Amino acid sequence: MQFSKSLKLNHIFRRLYRKGASCANACLVLYCRKNGSAENRIGLTVGAKLGHAVHRNRLRRRLREIYRLHEQQFARGYDIVVVARSRAMQADYRQLERAYLTLAARLGIYHPEDEG
């Protein structure tokens, strides 16, 4: 990921849940908040209740790849946390991609017209 880092600190996740803007659909919940830097920090949450580790890790890899492929169209300077819901486990890649990008566009951090 060229313009991004991983978000790993628990207190930043909690602050984002408390003070960040959020948007949700059947598969995902997306939280975002400006971070005051020139790069994005991305955090993924896939709870243990959603399935075995193999399945959770596959979902994480898919979500990371969706962001990586569309990174150019994301606004810079945000902390972004993606929380997977149980329906995300049964969703195929295209459904996840549509859900992710729709939520990001609703929050104003994804601009699809910049593709290319």
Side-chain angles (χ1 to χ4, degrees), residues 23-30 45 59 63 66 82-88 95-101 103:
C23 208
N25 60 26
C27 292
L28 304 170
V29 181
L30 201 85
T45 303
L59 181 56
L63 293 172
I66 291 167
V82 181
V83 179
R85 289 180 161 180
S86 59
R87 283 222 183 130
Q95 290 172 319
L96 281 175
E97 184 177 41
R98 194 176 321 113
Y100 195 135
L101 299 179
L103 291 177

Side-chain angles (χ1 to χ4, degrees), residues 3-52:
F3 306 106
S4 306
K5 290 184 176 177
S6 291
L7 188 61
K8 297 184 184 202
L9 298 175
N10 190 27
H11 74 276
I12 296 174
F13 274 83
R14 285 193 317 239
R15 181 175 51 204
L16 207 53
Y17 294 144
R18 203 172 51 248
K19 296 184 178 181
S22 67
C23 208
N25 60 26
C27 292
L28 304 170
V29 181
L30 201 85
Y31 294 88
C32 74
R33 184 173 191 248
K34 283 203 172 279
N35 64 15
S37 72
E39 58 194 5
N40 289 341
R41 294 187 295 187
I42 308 299
L44 301 173
T45 303
V46 181
K49 289 181 180 181
L50 297 185
H52 297 291

Side-chain angles (χ1 to χ4, degrees), residues 63-111:
L63 293 172
R64 227 178 280 124
E65 182 68 3
I66 291 167
Y67 179 81
R68 188 188 69 80
L69 291 174
H70 298 278
E71 185 176 22
Q72 297 287 334
Q73 291 85 43
F74 275 84
R76 304 254 181 351
Y78 283 89
D79 287 341
I80 302 168
V81 170
V82 181
V83 179
R85 289 180 161 180
S86 59
R87 283 222 183 130
M89 297 302 281
Q90 289 80 34
D92 64 9
Y93 180 83
R94 292 288 169 210
Q95 290 172 319
L96 281 175
E97 184 177 41
R98 194 176 321 113
Y100 195 135
L101 299 179
T102 301
L103 291 177
R106 266 197 245 157
L107 288 171
I109 59 172
Y110 176 71
H111 308 289

